Amino acid sequence: MIARLSYGVVNKIDGWGKSVVSNIDYTLNIFLMIYLAFRATLFDQAQGLRTIFSVVSAQIYFTGFQAMPLITVLALASGSIVIMQSSAQLSLLGSGDMIGRLLVMVIVREIAPLLTALIVIARSGTAVASELGNMKVNKEIEALESMGINPLSYIVFPRLLGGVISVLCLAFYYICISLIGGFVVTKIMHDMPFAFYAESLAKAFTSQDVLLFMAKNTFSGLIIFIICCYQGLLVKLGPHEVPQVTTKAVVNSIIYVVVFNLGVTTWFYLNQLMQLGVI
Amino acid sequence: MIKHESIEKLSFKSLDFEFSVQDRILLECDFEFPMNKVVAVQGNFGCGKSTILKLLATLIEPTAGEYWINDHLVNSMSFEELIPYRLKIGYGFDYGGLLNNKSLRENLMLPLQYHKLLSPEGINERIGELMEKFDLSFVGSHRPSSVSGSQRKLTCVLRALVMNPEMLILDNPTHGLNEKAVGLLIEEIQQRLASGELKHVFLVTDHKKMHEELIEQRVWVDGRKLSENVEAVSKGKSA
């Protein structure tokens, strides 16, 4: 009985260990692919800037430009909700001028990077993973290699670059629509002077917010597109694998982006607490 | 140094290739490929003929053992080091292989444009001539998904030829092609062999006309080994 129990426990620990090792292995492969994509682009003497920019611009169009209507709706909704809820509560507490600070903390630092990343995963991450998966099935990747064209510099790098630029632009657009549009929507129900609102926002913005915005969105974009490219290129046997790798690309991108955002936010607030001398 | 080196020798040394333990293609294979000939790789269904062509084209790596091009061990070469050889090798796929987001003409132009091997006018001229010859001009602006299977196949085979390779590897090049296209292809290969720009050809094909008019030697895949049929088939250059 005890032997069977201990065998079960060992098996469970063994399973956890394997899962940890496979996750570390996966993460290392992702880092390796980022390095190889950048290296291949640097060392590829044949690939001109024109080739890269044509794919980058197409990626920005599909990932950035075409996502704007959806981002507009979400930004307006989230901005209005946060402004309406917080202005009412803050007025009750007598701290109405804190609205700017609250918006910067909630929308600029947290909601905008996270929701933008989730929308990009849903729209473009799936597209990239399935596109590359189908290219693998159709032997397009092998064809590129046979022509002496490195898929990492020709396929992966422009998607990474276009993806990162798109995520940065979309997050910036999200913040603008959320803060300005949100105010306009709220104005219909609450009487809040724009000058007061703008001053409160201006006071709340710091250089650290810019840093946080750049860090979160740049790395989120990088994480999404490298994971989706990696998963797409994992297709080996046939078309039936394409939906499988696409699903895995979405799940893994969400996990990595959420964990990354959480990690950055935790580090940021611990740093602030240290600066205040609390810890 | 490598860039100007011609392909003179291809050899496998104790080479293993397997997709899985149950699916072994080659085991401890030592073989030196016949060069300056049109060689047909032959064997039973599923014995690994296409895999051998892919190994030769450096598109897949052996599971174990060594693949040598001249005096260079392919296994230890990086992608960048392999490029000069890949530019000398034209590879035609059994199926697929065309970029679906490009037209047939763009597919043919891609390697020349990417490696800047010719001026834009030179590229247009070379591609135009080939497409004209093989009656593909009228579908040049179409994407692979909107043309017939034989036109896709022909484009894929022609793309292997556009860089004027010195080694041509074609996997089932006649599949789906009509007799006229097969005849033109044989003629094109023979012309290039005669001019000396094309030196080595490796084919997997069951087409009777190809065997009769083009193939000079056969290499057999049997029992996870390669063996050379020393009896050079008549015709071709030796005829």
Side-chain angles (χ1 to χ4, degrees):
Chain A
M1 178 71 179
I2 291 169
R4 194 181 295 171
L5 259 177
S6 64
Y7 180 71
V9 171
V10 168
N11 255 356
K12 207 156 217 175
I13 293 169
D14 197 26
W16 290 337
K18 275 181 188 163
S19 157
V20 169
V21 169
S22 73
N23 279 319
I24 291 171
D25 187 47
Y26 184 85
T27 311
L28 288 177
N29 279 336
I30 294 293
F31 280 119
L32 182 67
M33 194 165 163
I34 295 175
Y35 164 72
L36 289 175
F38 278 86
R39 185 186 174 277
T41 310
L42 277 176
F43 281 85
D44 196 339
Q45 292 163 355
Q47 179 162 291
L49 284 176
R50 188 186 281 184
T51 318
I52 295 177
F53 281 120
S54 68
V55 185
V56 169
S57 54
Q59 192 64 49
I60 291 171
Y61 176 75
F62 291 121
T63 305
F65 187 74
Q66 289 194 336
M68 284 172 82
L70 183 56
I71 289 281
T72 308
V73 172
L74 272 173
L76 265 179
S78 62
S80 312
I81 290 164
V82 174
I83 294 171
M84 275 192 272
Q85 289 281 6
S86 57
S87 64
Q89 296 304 317
L90 288 172
S91 298
L92 280 174
L93 292 167
S95 329
D97 56 340
M98 291 287 283
I99 182 102
R101 205 180 166 96
L102 195 81
L103 285 175
V104 168
M105 282 199 293
V106 176
I107 289 183
V108 178
R109 292 183 193 166
E110 307 303 332
I111 292 182
L114 201 58
L115 273 185
T116 306
L118 291 179
I119 290 165
V120 170
I121 291 169
R123 282 191 77 260
S124 309
T126 48
V128 167
S130 57
E131 183 195 13
L132 265 65
N134 282 318
M135 285 180 84
K136 197 82 192 290
V137 172
N138 192 38
K139 299 187 178 178
E140 294 176 49
I141 304 292
E142 268 185 328
L144 289 172
E145 287 180 354
S146 76
M147 291 184 270
I149 300 172
N150 194 336
L152 287 174
S153 61
Y154 188 77
I155 301 281
V156 176
F157 180 78
R159 277 162 181 74
L160 277 186
L161 188 61
V164 169
I165 294 170
S166 302
V167 170
L168 274 169
C169 294
L170 277 179
F172 181 72
Y173 177 72
Y174 188 109
I175 290 168
C176 293
I177 294 292
S178 196
L179 295 181
I180 299 168
F183 172 78
V184 173
V185 173
T186 311
K187 183 90 176 136
I188 300 164
M189 291 171 236
H190 283 284
D191 185 32
M192 189 194 288
F194 183 73
F196 166 77
Y197 175 75
E199 196 190 333
S200 174
L201 267 180
K203 272 185 194 166
F205 269 112
T206 62
S207 58
Q208 279 184 323
D209 294 315
V210 178
L211 199 71
L212 201 70
F213 171 85
M214 292 301 287
K216 276 193 170 181
N217 293 300
T218 306
F219 284 99
S220 288
L222 201 63
I223 289 168
I224 295 165
F225 284 89
I226 201 70
I227 288 179
C228 293
C229 287
Y230 179 76
Q231 287 297 144
L233 292 175
L234 278 186
V235 169
K236 279 197 179 92
L237 300 173
H240 67 279
E241 284 181 48
V242 176
Q244 292 168 4
V245 297
T246 307
T247 309
K248 203 160 182 200
V250 170
V251 172
N252 288 355
S253 298
I254 291 174
I255 292 171
Y256 277 74
V257 162
V258 168
V259 169
F260 173 75
N261 274 268
L262 190 65
V264 172
T265 302
T266 310
W267 172 82
F268 183 76
Y269 283 102
L270 282 176
N271 201 30
Q272 278 201 329
L273 289 176
M274 278 170 76
Q275 278 174 359
L276 291 169
V278 178
I279 53 167
Chain B
M1 186 187 78
I2 292 169
K3 201 161 191 167
H4 305 290
E5 194 179 80
S6 288
I7 298 170
E8 302 294 344
K9 194 175 147 190
L10 301 170
S11 56
F12 290 170
K13 287 182 183 165
S14 301
L15 188 135
D16 293 356
F17 186 86
E18 61 185 34
F19 290 107
S20 63
V21 181
Q22 293 84 20
D23 199 4
R24 275 207 172 118
I25 306 293
L26 293 172
L27 188 63
E28 289 282 315
C29 179
D30 289 297
F31 191 72
E32 196 171 316
F33 285 86
M35 304 302 283
N36 297 301
K37 282 191 171 110
V38 181
V39 179
V41 179
Q42 294 198 294
N44 293 329
F45 288 120
C47 67
K49 301 183 287 290
S50 298
T51 305
I52 286 158
L53 293 191
K54 279 189 182 175
L55 278 166
L56 281 177
T58 71
L59 291 178
I60 49 174
E61 285 182 24
T63 316
E66 299 168 354
Y67 170 34
W68 293 80
I69 297 181
N70 299 343
D71 300 324
H72 300 283
L73 180 61
V74 172
N75 315 33
S76 63
M77 290 165 85
S78 66
F79 191 93
E80 288 80 21
E81 286 171 324
L82 274 172
I83 288 176
Y85 290 116
R86 284 185 168 149
L87 297 185
K88 291 185 170 70
I89 301 172
Y91 185 87
F93 288 83
D94 184 9
Y95 68 91
L98 290 181
L99 301 187
N100 278 318
N101 62 355
K102 291 190 183 293
S103 68
L104 298 189
R105 177 179 284 276
E106 286 167 341
N107 264 287
L108 291 174
M109 289 163 91
L110 180 63
L112 296 170
Q113 276 179 335
Y114 189 88
H115 295 288
K116 300 176 187 79
L117 298 176
L118 286 174
S119 64
E121 296 79 34
I123 293 173
N124 278 330
E125 195 183 332
R126 188 183 288 183
I127 302 301
E129 276 173 18
L130 262 183
M131 293 190 94
E132 194 69 41
K133 183 173 180 178
F134 285 87
D135 206 16
L136 281 174
S137 299
F138 72 104
V139 285
S141 58
H142 291 50
R143 291 195 173 182
S145 56
S146 54
V147 297
S148 69
S150 60
Q151 286 163 332
R152 276 200 295 272
K153 181 76 194 179
L154 200 51
T155 309
C156 193
V157 172
L158 293 186
R159 196 180 56 192
L161 289 165
V162 291
M163 288 207 291
N164 290 347
E166 65 178 59
M167 180 164 133
L168 185 64
I169 301 174
L170 298 175
D171 192 355
N172 216 350
T174 56
H175 182 74
L177 299 189
N178 59 26
E179 285 307 311
K180 187 188 165 198
V182 173
L184 284 169
L185 181 62
I186 292 172
E187 188 188 302
E188 181 72 27
I189 293 172
Q190 283 173 335
Q191 274 175 12
R192 286 169 185 248
L193 285 166
S195 70
E197 69 185 42
L198 180 63
K199 293 176 181 169
H200 329 286
V201 182
F202 295 92
L203 299 162
V204 168
T205 181
D206 290 326
H207 202 280
K208 199 179 164 194
K209 199 171 177 185
M210 292 285 257
H211 278 270
E212 284 172 358
E213 297 185 19
L214 202 61
I215 286 155
E216 298 170 280
Q217 190 155 349
R218 293 185 173 93
V219 166
W220 299 87
V221 193
D222 191 23
R224 294 168 189 162
K225 302 273 185 215
L226 282 165
S227 63
E228 196 175 324
N229 183 349
V230 284
E231 242 179 55
V233 181
S234 60
K235 245 348 255 169
K237 286 194 294 186
S238 57

